[in-house]
Amino acid sequence: MFPKNLFNISDLSPSAIEEIMSRAAFYKKRKNEALSPLKGKNIVLSFWEPSTRTRVSFEMAVQRLGGRVINYSPDNSSENKGENLKDTLKTLAALGADAVVFRHRSPGFFNLISQVVDIPFISGGEGCYQHPTQALLDLFTLRERGVKLSEIKVIMVGDILYSRVARSHFYALSAFGAGLTLVAPPVLLPAGLVPDGVSWSYALDDLLPESDVVYLLRVQRERQGKALLPSLAEYAALYGINEKRIPLLKKGALLMHPGPVNIGIEISRGAVDFFQRNYPERILFQEQALNGVFVRMAVLDLLLGGK
Ligand code: NCD
């Protein structure tokens, strides 16, 4: 039921995802107990792109499951070191590494390595291709709020072009029947990118009144070779959640963001303060980050042979 490697969220069947959700809920309830499904296992974390939430939560997940973390994360992510990385991982596997959790800017890079290093590989984000555990923790966070995925409309707003999170949700949200609409300025939303079954629009304000979840995506300036947006202020005015847009939101609508949030671009400081003061239960950013630990515990446990 569980694949050896996790590169793409669609490597997981809906029933495998269900099992991850329930295992994550189990771990969340036992957050103060000493656990040992990874006892004696050595997990390599190899992150070649910046990461706070994902790396730290994978590290905490391994530790809470009783495993050991080996960090192998060079600060120089240059491609031509690929040969070295392959050899290093081979050596680490020979020394007893049991799995690799990785992040890299080039999709497919670790997939190639996985063909010569015979231990499981789990993605913590690949370029603008996939971020499977982010999609899983988002599903978990919504489920935990009592949301019935098959009954909701989600809009993802922002840098769709460069978002690995969006690409994972093309499958994840759709697999559970959520309606998904992508919203962005034309330059960040090429028509060819939108898969069957997913809608798109350039007009945020038209969609806000009917959206149950507003999922904000960071403008990935580091991936946009040249600045694609003439002005971030203009982007914020047209696509940011600010105090003027709050009245347009559907009653009870939830706000999500994978982090890190650019305050003042995807959402204004005033809007964050408004929600934290009046509707803290509707702004899920911190909850998503926290749930990352439990969902990653579930993924490691189930993929690495837990019972
Ligand atoms: C996302 C990522 O790295 O893809 N963040 C995360 O994993 N928490 C989104 C982003 O960087 O914008």
Side-chain angles (χ1 to χ4, degrees):
M1 176 185 216
F2 291 98
K4 176 181 173 202
N5 301 314
L6 180 58
F7 289 107
N8 189 318
I9 181 81
S10 65
D11 297 339
L12 298 169
S13 64
S15 56
I17 294 178
E18 289 287 359
E19 199 164 334
I20 291 170
M21 303 284 107
S22 43
R23 186 65 57 106
F26 169 87
Y27 282 133
K28 192 165 184 177
K29 282 201 207 89
R30 281 158 187 78
K31 58 175 174 246
N32 298 319
E33 287 174 30
L35 303 159
S36 53
L38 292 188
K39 189 157 185 267
K41 297 219 183 211
N42 302 307
I43 313 299
V44 177
L45 296 193
S46 191
F47 276 56
W48 290 51
E49 267 194 336
S51 173
T52 309
R53 291 158 195 75
T54 305
R55 200 189 55 75
V56 170
S57 62
F58 264 116
E59 184 153 351
M60 288 177 75
V62 173
Q63 285 168 355
R64 286 199 186 173
L65 294 175
R68 275 187 298 262
V69 170
I70 300 161
N71 269 298
Y72 181 68
S73 303
D75 48 15
N76 174 355
S77 59
S78 101
E79 213 84 316
N80 53 29
K81 291 207 172 162
E83 221 25 58
N84 294 346
L85 178 64
K86 188 178 74 189
D87 292 341
T88 306
L89 290 177
K90 262 189 178 168
T91 307
L92 289 175
L95 289 172
D98 294 289
V100 178
V101 178
F102 70 91
R103 170 173 283 199
H104 198 271
R105 71 187 157 89
S106 302
F109 184 77
F110 273 86
N111 202 329
L112 277 178
I113 293 176
S114 76
Q115 286 161 27
V116 288
V117 182
D118 193 24
I119 53 178
F121 282 72
I122 297 175
S123 169
E126 276 187 279
C128 50
Y129 166 64
Q130 279 282 314
H131 195 350
T133 58
Q134 179 68 43
L136 292 170
L137 73 89
D138 294 333
L139 293 181
F140 180 80
T141 303
L142 286 168
R143 286 279 190 85
E144 225 192 5
R145 283 300 161 109
V147 169
K148 282 214 171 59
L149 292 166
S150 60
E151 293 173 6
I152 58 163
K153 287 187 183 169
V154 180
I155 51 174
M156 294 194 102
V157 186
D159 192 346
I160 308 293
L161 178 58
Y162 288 103
S163 177
R164 53 190 170 207
V165 178
R167 282 177 183 73
S168 286
H169 273 303
F170 292 171
Y171 174 81
L173 283 167
S174 308
F176 289 91
L180 176 59
T181 302
L182 310 173
V183 186
V187 71
L188 297 179
L189 182 47
L193 188 69
V194 184
D196 286 348
V198 173
S199 317
W200 60 275
S201 168
Y202 303 139
L204 175 62
D205 292 353
D206 294 351
L207 289 164
L208 287 177
E210 59 190 57
S211 301
D212 303 286
V213 176
V214 178
Y215 195 115
L216 302 171
L217 292 168
R218 187 172 65 86
V219 175
Q220 311 247 328
R221 277 173 287 181
E222 76 280 17
R223 295 193 204 285
Q224 302 177 357
K226 56 185 171 40
L228 284 177
L229 295 168
S231 139
L232 284 175
E234 189 182 320
Y235 174 85
L238 289 170
Y239 293 98
I241 296 298
N242 53 31
E243 286 134 297
K244 275 194 249 151
R245 289 209 164 87
I246 291 174
L248 297 179
L249 289 166
K250 184 171 176 177
K251 189 164 180 283
L254 301 171
L255 292 182
M256 300 180 82
H257 194 306
V261 182
N262 291 307
I263 301 282
I265 302 179
E266 296 99 68
I267 186 164
S268 71
R269 166 61 58 202
V272 171
D273 290 347
F274 173 86
F275 278 100
Q276 280 172 347
R277 227 180 9 252
N278 301 299
Y279 302 104
E281 72 288 358
R282 288 173 53 195
I283 183 162
L284 304 182
F285 309 168
Q286 293 298 337
E287 197 64 24
Q288 288 169 271
L290 171 68
N291 287 335
V293 177
F294 308 113
V295 167
R296 290 177 176 121
M297 287 172 81
V299 166
L300 289 165
D301 181 5
L302 292 166
L303 262 72
L304 305 184
K307 293 178 273 323

